Amino acid sequence: MAASRTDLFPRLMALPFLVLTLRFCNTQAVGKGVTVSLDAKWPSTPLLLEISEYIAEEDNEKFWQFVDTVKEVSYLRGDSERRYYDLILKKAGQFLSQLKLNLLKFALSLRAYSPTVQMFQQTATDEPPPKGCSSFVAVHGEHTCNTKEVKKLLKRAANRPKPYLFKGDHVFPTMNAEVPIAILYAEIGTKEFSKFHKILSDKAGKGELTYVLRHYVQKTSSKKVHLSGYGVELAIKSTEYKALDDTHFEGTNTTMLEDDDVDEIQGFHFQKLKQLYPDLTSQLKELRKHLIESVNDMALLKVWELQDLSFQAAARILSAPVYDALKLMRDFSQNFPTKARSLTRIAVNQEMRDEIEANQKFLAETLGLQPGDSALFVNGIRIDPDTHSPFSILDILRQEGKVMDGLYNLGIKDRHLSKLLSLNIYPTEESPALDIRHSAIINVFQAFRTSLEHKHMLLKKLSRPVSICGVKAQLIFQWMNDLERDQKYHSWPSSYQELLRPTFPGVIRQIRRNIFNLVMFIDPAQEEAVQLIKLAELFYQHTTPLRIGFVFVVNADEKIDGNQDAGVALLRVFNFIAKDSELSHAFSSIVAIFKQVQDGESLTVDNVVSFMKKKYPQVDVQNILGVDSEFDDQRKAGANYYKTSGLGSLPQALFNGVHFNIDELNSEELETIILQKIIDAAGPFQKAVFMGQLNEHTDVVNFLMDRPNVVLRINSIILNTERKYLDLTSKAALSDWNDFTTYSFLDVRDKSAVIADQMKYLTRKDEDIIYAVTIWIVADFDKLSGRRLLLNAIKQMKINTRRFKTKKENR
């Protein structure tokens, strides 16, 4: 099962136990031989709450509007389940289009939002709820199920810490960080919920509190959640089966399942017979049972009878009524061995055979699908059945449905809609990557050895790549290890074709190429640096095919020396050891210094000094750490690189230029996360080798850094993957936006439509052009900053217009 979200309230979460129930039936029955039902451990959750979660994913404002609409709808639950289901779907239809309403039905059949509701239920149980309360309010740790006591709890809330709010919490739109937080645990649609909701929403609207809603059901159902989206594959290897009567086995819940009536048995179509002779239903059932028991469905077939079975099955499905064809196809796919005998008697139309063969040829040439293969496409997007589940397909359908709904509301229909959907509207690279070709990255591998004086002179005088004795070296630009040159990896193959060699799943290929690169930005004086240094040593010692580099971000103030700052002291000691011996020895020395630091502590100057006195007793440490030290190389380079990179607070890490998020970097499973990134990154490289984009003469680092997603600075505002859009698909419901009373009651979507309809645009006179980009200026023009923004926008417009005019004249 593929999960698409990792937040605290996923729609599909992994709970400890799942109860698997198998119901066996007679193997001679025409129906399924084995029926599997998968029940979750938690009780069945109300569908109304699941619908609210679906709408909450669409829009938080619509969620609260839906809550107001169904405040007391649960009083109709006792009428009939079908009537109640239709009612709540009708209520949801007020906030959803017909397409999204159909997807909601699909989500309800999967029970995709039941885990989210149960997560809220477990959170409520942990409070715990007051005895006998079907709804209760928690204000900074104190609870009440009496609406009159809410005001008292709010007065005393300032002396207690605020509760933690989860990412999936439903927060009333008017949120104020300075006021108390009131969390309502209740079941939407009940009278008790309606009472609390009115009081809390009114106070939240006045800014007196922050209103948070969490689902809580006092009396849970005795039934378990029946999960959909799971299947059991019954691989039939041989037709030599023995018929066993399992109806008398003890401890077995046996159910005799009837086939769909669309199925025919020995030429009798029982659905049609029941329609023609409804008074003979019982006799027809007996006849059907007799035929099932008398026929030998698993009889051996001749070779010539097998060659057209697939065509005959297709012909039988096409001959069925449209509303029964899908059920018949499902029946054939699940019970094909028992249906094979009856299919051999069906004649195949030559026209249909030619059409199927033509389709097979076309699919083989265009998509590589051979006869017998299966493929699923959604708006041209190929869905891999091995990696996708019904839940991930639901996500894709919702994403595509949102785009289609928006285009349809804008008046784009029919073939124009298909053309726009065929465009690649998704970015080719999801995450921006930082260019790691920088001289501030420190390496503990030395590509060539020269004399100490000659190397020192090179480092001081040269600032471009040079070639010494035929060896090309980038001055100052060094990494901790180099898989392509380090003798440690000389026994590994260097051909990129190794990526295409079959291996066991999860095996990391050892190739003497810098395919995987890890860069760590650390301040040696921080506590987190200790574990990152040790982790780098672990990868290095275990010869993991990973090139590792460090950017030591230390105090760049020249007045601060190594006696005052531990980071400066460590960098100067590193440079001293690196100039006196190989850089690999310098890295080992850094690791040894950090090993002196106890867990939970950070590096100090004393740790550095004690190491130097022990390993280099003949060296004057003050000449290294003091103000006049000659070992300050890359001190400013690291700080400048970090500053221009735009990364957040230290420490930071990059894998092939893509930075880790804060949760990954602080995780205790960082080693596993890095190894998983290596495995995941192998796929694109395999494709590049197969397509000829990556060959033996290509520098793999340049290949990585020349991708379109690589930037020189990570700007969190511009490169934020969570893009925010104004929904302009609605039509203006108000002609005068000065009518603020009516305007304030509109939702965000309708407000945006009113503003877009009333907006004044600046264009050139007599210009018949459709502009691809529209810029809105939102500012207070009574202030200098607002007027300056408007002036800059007008200047930019004039420049672009002049360029367009010049290009037009040149044509």
Side-chain angles (χ1 to χ4, degrees):
M1 180 177 63
S4 59
R5 290 168 176 79
T6 57
D7 53 297
L8 186 60
F9 288 90
R11 296 186 296 110
L12 232 241
M13 52 178 283
L15 290 185
F17 300 101
L18 292 174
V19 182
L20 181 65
T21 305
L22 297 178
R23 296 189 177 94
F24 296 94
C25 64
N26 194 309
T27 55
Q28 287 186 341
V30 180
K32 303 175 184 178
V34 178
T35 301
V36 178
S37 62
L38 188 61
D39 295 335
K41 189 179 180 181
W42 64 89
S44 181
T45 51
L47 293 181
L48 180 62
L49 305 188
E50 296 181 30
I51 292 176
S52 70
E53 288 299 320
Y54 179 91
I55 296 177
E57 281 198 357
E58 291 289 327
D59 187 275
N60 184 59
E61 193 172 6
K62 287 183 179 179
F63 168 82
W64 289 102
Q65 292 174 354
F66 175 74
V67 167
D68 285 329
T69 305
V70 297
K71 284 186 295 188
E72 296 185 17
V73 75
S74 291
Y75 71 92
L76 293 173
R77 188 181 299 180
D79 292 356
S80 70
E81 291 186 4
R82 182 67 191 184
R83 183 179 175 186
Y84 179 70
Y85 174 77
D86 292 338
L87 175 63
I88 58 179
L89 282 182
K90 184 178 180 181
K91 296 290 185 181
Q94 299 177 20
F95 307 95
L96 301 172
S97 64
Q98 185 59 45
L99 174 61
K100 292 180 179 178
L101 190 62
N102 292 334
L103 291 177
L104 170 60
K105 296 177 183 179
F106 179 38
L108 292 177
S109 66
L110 293 176
R111 306 304 299 269
Y113 292 90
S114 181
T116 305
V117 176
Q118 178 61 21
M119 192 67 174
F120 282 113
Q121 183 77 10
Q122 293 179 3
T123 306
T125 306
D126 294 338
E127 280 291 334
K131 292 183 179 180
C133 295
S134 58
S135 303
F136 66 97
V137 175
V139 181
H140 294 199
E142 291 191 0
H143 313 87
T144 181
C145 52
N146 190 341
T147 55
K148 297 179 180 179
E149 296 182 3
V150 173
K151 191 174 182 180
K152 297 179 182 178
L153 296 182
L154 292 174
K155 290 182 178 179
R156 303 194 301 265
N159 300 325
R160 300 186 302 276
K162 292 184 177 181
Y164 180 79
L165 297 184
F166 302 115
K167 185 178 181 180
D169 274 328
H170 305 298
V171 183
F172 200 76
T174 55
M175 184 176 178
N176 189 347
E178 304 298 328
V179 295
I181 297 176
I183 303 177
L184 173 60
Y185 294 89
E187 181 181 356
I188 297 173
T190 61
K191 292 182 178 180
E192 292 78 8
F193 163 77
S194 180
K195 295 176 184 178
F196 277 110
H197 174 70
K198 186 178 187 311
I199 295 173
L200 296 177
S201 58
D202 289 344
K203 290 184 177 295
K206 297 176 182 178
E208 298 178 9
L209 55 83
T210 298
Y211 173 23
V212 180
L213 174 61
R214 292 175 180 173
H215 303 302
Y216 168 64
V217 181
Q218 182 188 24
K219 296 180 180 180
T220 57
S221 174
S222 58
K223 301 179 181 178
K224 302 294 184 181
V225 175
H226 184 74
L227 298 179
S228 302
Y230 298 87
V232 173
E233 178 183 357
L234 181 61
I236 299 178
K237 302 299 183 182
S238 173
T239 58
E240 298 178 0
Y241 292 103
K242 292 182 179 180
L244 299 177
D245 184 5
D246 61 353
T247 58
H248 302 294
F249 287 177
E250 295 183 2
T252 305
N253 184 10
T254 306
T255 306
M256 294 296 293
L257 298 177
E258 284 194 3
D259 268 346
D260 295 322
D261 291 336
V262 298
D263 187 30
E264 58 88 19
I265 302 173
Q266 296 192 38
F268 291 93
H269 294 265
F270 283 91
Q271 182 187 23
K272 193 68 175 177
L273 290 173
K274 287 181 180 180
Q275 292 176 354
L276 296 175
Y277 307 101
D279 55 327
L280 300 177
T281 302
S282 59
Q283 289 89 335
L284 289 173
K285 285 184 178 181
E286 290 297 326
L287 174 61
R288 186 174 185 275
K289 181 179 179 182
H290 172 73
L291 293 176
I292 291 173
E293 293 175 350
S294 62
V295 69
N296 182 14
D297 290 311
M298 302 299 290
L300 296 176
L301 299 177
K302 304 297 183 181
V303 175
W304 61 269
E305 292 178 312
L306 297 174
Q307 59 185 4
D308 284 341
L309 266 181
S310 59
F311 290 98
Q312 290 168 322
R316 175 67 182 88
I317 294 171
L318 290 175
S319 65
V322 177
Y323 51 85
D324 286 334
L326 188 60
K327 291 193 290 185
L328 185 61
M329 184 167 61
R330 181 195 64 187
D331 184 41
F332 282 170
S333 64
Q334 292 177 341
N335 307 283
F336 194 78
T338 62
K339 307 294 182 183
R341 170 61 64 184
S342 62
L343 291 175
T344 58
R345 296 190 293 269
I346 297 176
V348 180
N349 189 319
Q350 185 61 37
E351 184 180 354
M352 188 198 76
R353 184 193 298 272
D354 294 339
E355 182 180 355
I356 292 177
E357 291 177 348
N359 291 337
Q360 289 176 342
K361 182 180 179 181
F362 174 77
L363 293 175
E365 293 175 350
T366 57
L367 301 174
L369 291 176
Q370 300 301 323
D373 293 344
S374 300
L376 174 63
F377 293 87
V378 177
N379 281 352
I381 302 174
R382 185 166 184 172
I383 308 300
D384 186 359
D386 294 330
T387 58
H388 284 275
S389 68
F391 307 100
S392 59
I393 293 176
L394 174 61
D395 290 334
I396 296 173
L397 291 174
R398 290 190 64 181
Q399 190 176 25
E400 291 297 304
K402 185 177 182 180
V403 176
M404 294 176 64
D405 255 354
L407 293 175
Y408 187 85
N409 292 333
L410 291 173
I412 302 173
K413 304 175 183 178
D414 303 330
R415 58 188 180 89
H416 300 293
L417 180 62
S418 300
K419 289 182 179 180
L420 287 175
L421 286 175
S422 64
L423 298 176
N424 182 18
I425 62 174
Y426 306 107
T428 55
E429 299 288 347
E430 294 184 355
S431 302
L434 188 68
D435 196 331
I436 57 176
R437 295 171 296 186
H438 198 279
S439 61
I441 303 174
I442 296 178
N443 176 338
V444 187
F445 170 77
Q446 192 170 10
F448 60 94
R449 293 292 306 274
T450 59
S451 66
L452 179 63
E453 295 80 11
H454 183 54
K455 184 171 67 170
H456 184 71
M457 180 178 63
L458 285 172
L459 292 172
K460 289 290 185 180
K461 294 183 178 181
L462 298 180
S463 60
R464 58 185 177 84
V466 297
S467 180
I468 300 177
C469 301
V471 180
K472 188 177 180 181
Q474 177 68 41
L475 298 180
I476 308 179
F477 178 63
Q478 301 167 339
W479 286 72
M480 182 181 108
N481 59 333
D482 193 319
L483 276 69
E484 298 181 2
R485 298 184 179 92
D486 196 338
Q487 289 299 315
K488 186 174 184 178
Y489 313 100
H490 75 281
S491 62
W492 292 3
S494 61
S495 175
Y496 290 117
Q497 295 296 323
E498 286 291 316
L499 287 168
L500 304 179
R501 182 172 55 83
T503 61
F504 290 104
V507 174
I508 300 177
R509 295 171 175 83
Q510 294 182 330
I511 304 176
R512 199 167 72 249
R513 295 284 186 173
N514 295 321
I515 297 176
F516 310 113
N517 305 269
L518 177 67
V519 180
M520 294 185 180
F521 291 74
I522 63 173
D523 180 356
Q526 286 185 337
E527 180 182 334
E528 295 84 358
V530 180
Q531 296 302 324
L532 293 179
I533 290 289
K534 293 180 180 178
L535 179 62
E537 183 205 18
L538 181 66
F539 284 125
Y540 183 75
Q541 294 298 331
H542 287 79
T543 59
T544 305
L546 179 68
R547 187 169 70 147
I548 306 173
F550 280 99
V551 178
F552 287 148
V553 184
V554 300
N555 196 326
D557 189 354
E558 295 181 356
K559 297 180 181 179
I560 304 297
D561 59 23
N563 295 315
Q564 301 168 286
D565 190 285
V568 176
L570 184 77
L571 181 61
R572 290 183 175 181
V573 167
F574 175 85
N575 290 333
F576 165 76
I577 300 174
K579 290 182 179 180
D580 188 51
S581 61
E582 289 190 354
L583 293 175
S584 57
H585 178 64
F587 175 69
S588 301
S589 301
I590 295 300
V591 174
I593 293 175
F594 274 100
K595 284 184 177 180
Q596 299 179 18
V597 183
Q598 301 296 325
D599 292 338
E601 297 181 359
S602 56
L603 182 72
T604 63
V605 176
D606 293 337
N607 297 132
V608 180
V609 173
S610 62
F611 171 82
M612 289 299 296
K613 288 182 178 180
K614 182 178 180 180
K615 293 294 182 179
Y616 299 91
Q618 74 282 4
V619 176
D620 187 358
V621 179
Q622 288 303 315
N623 290 337
I624 301 173
L625 306 184
V627 178
D628 299 326
S629 174
E630 299 179 358
F631 303 97
D632 241 9
D633 299 339
Q634 297 180 334
R635 177 177 174 180
K636 291 185 178 180
N640 290 337
Y641 183 33
Y642 168 67
K643 184 178 180 179
T644 57
S645 68
L647 296 172
S649 58
L650 295 172
Q652 291 287 336
L654 307 173
F655 180 81
N656 281 352
V658 180
H659 69 285
F660 290 66
N661 61 50
I662 190 66
D663 295 331
E664 292 176 331
L665 203 57
N666 293 337
S667 172
E668 296 180 355
E669 303 294 331
L670 181 58
E671 177 187 352
T672 305
I673 292 173
I674 294 175
L675 292 175
Q676 187 61 48
K677 285 182 179 291
I678 294 176
I679 295 173
D680 295 341
F685 282 109
Q686 289 174 324
K687 182 179 179 181
V689 174
F690 181 78
M691 300 299 294
Q693 300 170 351
L694 185 61
N695 54 54
E696 307 303 327
H697 305 290
T698 305
D699 186 290
V700 67
V701 177
N702 290 335
F703 172 78
L704 278 170
M705 296 299 105
D706 289 338
R707 291 182 175 181
N709 67 315
V710 177
V711 296
L712 297 177
R713 177 179 173 83
I714 301 294
N715 190 314
S716 58
I717 299 177
I718 298 176
L719 301 176
N720 187 7
T721 56
E722 296 182 3
R723 302 176 184 270
K724 295 183 179 180
Y725 298 95
L726 285 178
D727 190 345
L728 300 176
T729 59
S730 179
K731 295 182 179 179
L734 186 66
S735 58
D736 183 13
W737 64 356
N738 292 319
D739 184 6
F740 184 75
T741 304
T742 307
Y743 180 81
S744 61
F745 285 101
L746 301 177
D747 59 15
V748 175
R749 184 164 168 256
D750 291 333
K751 288 178 180 177
S752 300
V754 172
I755 294 176
D757 188 60
Q758 299 291 329
M759 185 70 69
K760 305 299 182 184
Y761 295 96
L762 299 178
T763 58
R764 291 178 60 87
K765 292 183 178 180
D766 304 327
E767 198 172 50
D768 186 16
I769 298 174
I770 298 177
Y771 286 96
V773 179
T774 302
I775 302 176
W776 282 8
I777 304 300
V778 182
D780 184 354
F781 300 123
D782 289 334
K783 295 182 180 180
L784 178 62
S785 58
R787 294 193 296 272
R788 184 181 291 118
L789 177 62
L790 178 61
L791 177 62
N792 292 335
I794 295 174
K795 289 181 178 179
Q796 182 66 25
M797 180 182 173
K798 290 179 65 177
I799 293 173
N800 290 339
T801 305
R802 193 180 302 117
R803 289 175 180 172
F804 175 79
K805 186 177 180 180
T806 304
K807 289 182 180 179
K808 191 174 181 180
E809 291 174 352
N810 292 336
R811 290 176 184 175

